């Protein structure tokens, strides 16, 4: 069995090329799934905001984790050559509590900043939330692929990222820039770059875990389930 790579190459050119191929193969599921996820998050945030504007983030947090677990599961399945179906987006709700707790822990700085009402605390918490998103970017992959609970998954993500922090920082910053540029016209570009970013993280995760990358030349594996 291949041993996990502590120092992945994370070849950006290869990752983007492969992610584009994977996106094209599963474009309908990725795009429609992302739209549905955004609508659900918006509705949850709106309902919570009726209680008080500062509570919108809490409403989002209630559904964000399960949706993220399902969406990243779709990305990992597709990255491995599977053909995920649209209902897989909601598979994270089968593990609602750990997915929710993971989301709550990862988004904690952002929630604190929102409840604080902005200001200096809000700015500091926004910066901390970027660090959290970076360090724990593989959490949902470990949760779904290894069937770990939320805390061991977060620890695994932290160890993986910090063990090769240079390549991961470069990858993370590139993904931020790509998605920021895609958001400029009116956000439509995000329908492509967000799924591709999820696939890139899935491919990088498999590389770290020592799994062969799907090339389109071998038989795909059975579909991943969250």
């Amino acid at each position: 069995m291949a041993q996990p790579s502590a120092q992945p190459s994370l070849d950006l050119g290869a990752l983007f090329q492969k992610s584009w191929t994977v996106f094209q193969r599963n474009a309908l599921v990725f795009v429609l799934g992302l739209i549905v996820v955004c609508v659900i998050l918006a509705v949850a945030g709106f309902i919570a905001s009726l209680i008080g504007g500062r509570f919108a983030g809490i409403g989002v947090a209630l559904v964000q984790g399960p949706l993220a677990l399902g969406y990243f599961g779709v990305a990992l399945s597709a990255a491995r050559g599977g053909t995920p179906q649209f209902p897989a987006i909601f598979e994270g709700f089968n593990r609602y509590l750990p997915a929710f707790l993971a989301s709550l822990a990862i988004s904690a700085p952002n929630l604190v900043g929102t409840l604080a009402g902005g200001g200096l605390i809000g700015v500091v918490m926004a910066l901390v939330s970027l660090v959290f998103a970076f360090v724990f970017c593989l959490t949902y992959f470990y949760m779904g692929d290894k069937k770990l609970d939320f805390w061991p998954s977060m620890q695994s993500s932290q160890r993986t990222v910090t063990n090769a922090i240079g390549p991961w920082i470069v990858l993370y910053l590139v993904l931020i820039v790509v998605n920021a540029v895609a958001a400029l016209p009116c956000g439509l570009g995000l329908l492509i770059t967000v799924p591709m970013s999820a696939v890139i993280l899935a491919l990088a995760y498999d590389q770290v875990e020592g799994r062969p990358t799907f090339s389109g030349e071998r038989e795909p594996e059975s579909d991943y389930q969250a």
Side-chain angles (χ1 to χ4, degrees):
M1 181 180 294
Q3 296 298 316
S5 171
Q7 294 292 331
S9 63
L10 299 184
D11 185 325
L12 292 177
L15 287 174
F16 273 91
Q17 183 178 18
K18 291 172 183 174
S19 69
W20 173 242
T21 299
V22 172
F23 172 78
Q24 288 179 303
R25 288 166 53 94
N26 304 275
L28 181 60
V29 172
F30 277 130
V31 174
L32 182 59
L34 180 58
I35 292 174
V36 171
V37 166
C38 290
V39 169
I40 293 175
L41 291 175
V43 171
F46 173 73
I47 293 175
S49 70
L50 296 179
I51 302 174
R54 296 182 181 182
F55 290 95
I58 296 178
V60 170
L62 288 173
V63 294
Q64 181 173 261
L67 290 171
L69 180 57
Y71 199 84
F72 280 119
V74 167
L76 188 58
S77 174
R80 292 176 174 177
T83 53
Q85 302 301 309
F86 178 76
I89 298 290
F90 304 102
E91 285 187 358
F93 286 95
N94 295 330
R95 298 181 64 196
Y96 179 82
L97 184 58
F100 164 69
L101 291 175
S103 173
L104 187 64
I106 296 171
S107 62
N110 190 47
L111 288 174
V112 171
T114 300
L115 293 174
L120 179 59
I121 294 179
V123 173
V124 172
M125 288 298 100
L127 295 175
V128 174
S129 69
L130 288 176
V131 176
F132 270 45
F134 166 60
V135 173
F136 302 121
C137 65
L138 301 179
T139 297
Y140 296 109
F141 294 117
Y142 280 107
M143 284 187 66
D145 189 41
K146 305 294 186 183
K147 301 298 184 282
L148 300 177
D149 204 348
F150 84 99
W151 186 244
S153 297
M154 293 178 66
Q155 290 178 310
S156 296
S157 177
Q158 178 267 321
R159 283 194 297 267
T160 297
V161 171
T162 55
N163 281 345
I165 195 166
W168 282 104
I169 285 179
V170 173
L171 177 60
Y172 186 65
L173 291 177
V174 169
L175 292 180
I176 288 177
V177 171
V178 167
N179 284 284
V181 171
L184 290 178
C186 43
L188 293 180
L190 293 173
L191 293 175
I192 297 176
T193 60
V194 169
M196 285 184 62
S197 297
V199 173
I200 286 172
L201 288 176
L203 291 168
Y205 166 81
D206 269 354
Q207 185 180 128
V208 168
E209 289 300 305
R211 298 179 63 98
T213 301
F214 175 66
S215 63
E217 298 176 355
R218 61 178 176 85
E219 288 296 318
E221 299 181 13
S222 58
D223 285 342
Y224 159 101
Q225 293 183 340

